[in-house]
Amino acid sequence: MATAPDADGLWRFSLAVYAAPGVAAHLLDLQDRCGADVNVALALAWAGASGRGRLDACDIARLDRSAAPLRDNVVGALRTARRWLKPYAQGREAPHLARLRAGIKELEIEAERCVQATLAAALAARGARDAPDRRLEAALANVDAY
C-alpha cells in the first residue's frame, strides 16, 4: 500500500511505541475496558511527539470521528471474528481454522494501518509547531486528554 510520508511516520512511531514494555497491554486494556481506540491514542501521542502540538477537545473529537468508519465497520468486525475464532478453534484438530485466524489477523493489521493513514491525513495540516523540548509534554497531554 502506497502511503503518504506522514502515514509512514505514524505507522513506524506506533510500531515502536507499541513494542515498548507494557505499552501494548496498557493500550489494549484501555481499548477493552474503556472503549478507547488504540490507533487514535497512538496518533495523539505521535501528534505531540512530532511537534504538531497539543490538541484540544474539538481536535481530538474530529480525529476520532475520522477513524470511526474504518474502526467501526472494518477493524472491529475483523477483531471480533479473530477473537471469536480463538476459543472456537482450541482443542480442535483444525489447521484450517488456525490459518483462517492468522489471515484475519493480517487483514486486521492492514485495516489498522489504513485507519492510521486516515488519522495522519487528518493531522497533516498541523505542521511542526513545538520545539523539541516540548514534544514529550505535548504527546502525554494529548493522550491524557483523550
Side-chain angles (χ1 to χ4, degrees):
M1 166 170 98
T3 57
D6 280 350
D8 289 338
L10 172 54
W11 186 250
R12 285 191 307 276
F13 173 87
S14 296
L15 292 175
V17 169
Y18 197 81
V23 172
H26 184 68
L27 287 172
L28 292 174
D29 182 56
L30 287 174
Q31 173 186 275
D32 293 340
R33 278 190 319 104
C34 304
D37 183 325
V38 169
N39 290 303
V40 171
L42 289 166
L44 291 169
W46 176 73
S50 63
R52 287 167 174 82
R54 290 182 180 209
L55 282 73
D56 63 26
C58 290
D59 293 327
I60 293 170
R62 189 171 28 259
L63 197 63
D64 189 60
R65 281 192 307 274
S66 75
L70 283 171
R71 174 186 61 227
D72 297 347
N73 297 297
V74 180
V75 175
L78 291 167
R79 181 178 300 126
T80 298
R82 178 183 52 81
R83 286 181 171 179
W84 181 87
L85 272 170
K86 185 175 184 176
Y88 178 77
Q90 286 179 338
R92 298 175 192 258
E93 296 282 332
H96 61 286
L97 292 176
R99 284 192 306 274
L100 176 61
R101 187 169 183 273
I104 291 170
K105 184 176 182 178
E106 286 181 32
L107 288 172
E108 183 183 352
I109 291 168
E110 187 61 28
E112 288 186 332
R113 191 168 186 167
C114 291
V115 169
Q116 287 206 356
T118 299
L119 293 167
L123 289 165
R126 294 182 69 89
R129 336 174 151 202
D130 280 348
D133 65 332
R134 308 280 326 241
R135 293 178 178 186
L136 177 59
E137 178 184 323
L140 294 172
N142 286 345
V143 175
D144 188 50
Y146 182 53

